[in-house]
Structure formats: C-alpha cells, structure tokens
Amino acid sequence: MLDRLGLAGIAGLVLVVVGLALVAIESPLIAAGLALVLVGLGLAIKSLVSGMLSAFGMGGMF
C-alpha cells in the first residue's frame, strides 16, 4: 500500500497521525471523533473515485 502513496502521501499520512496524537493528548474523546470523521471521509472519497473510474470504463482498477 505504501508504494502506491508516494512520498507526499506518506508525509500526509504521518501528519494526520501526529495531529490525532496531539489531540488525543488533550482529549481522547475528541480524537476518537476526529478519527471516525477521517475514516468516513476516506471511505466516501474512495467510493466517489471508484464510481468515477467505473463511469470511464476502468471499474476494476480501484
């Protein structure tokens, strides 16, 4: 999976994890809520990209 992300994707993932860790130090409940929002957003984006690719005839790529 990490080979598909590239350097910018890995840096972004690290920043997200560090940001969640900083929030979790102050308030674990807020950090859990933010994590759920990020996972939901990721799933929605994956669904949108998958739908777009299938519309272009490349449905099996993602």
Side-chain angles (χ1 to χ4, degrees):
M1 178 184 107
L2 293 179
D3 56 339
R4 281 201 230 169
L5 285 177
L7 186 59
I10 293 173
L13 191 62
V14 167
L15 286 174
V16 167
V17 169
V18 169
L20 277 175
L22 286 175
V23 173
I25 289 172
E26 282 298 313
S27 175
L29 187 61
I30 303 267
L34 283 175
L36 287 174
V37 167
L38 287 173
V39 168
L41 185 62
L43 288 173
I45 290 173
K46 181 183 182 302
S47 174
L48 287 173
V49 169
S50 186
M52 183 184 66
L53 286 176
S54 66
F56 290 134
M58 299 182 288
M61 292 188 70
F62 189 63

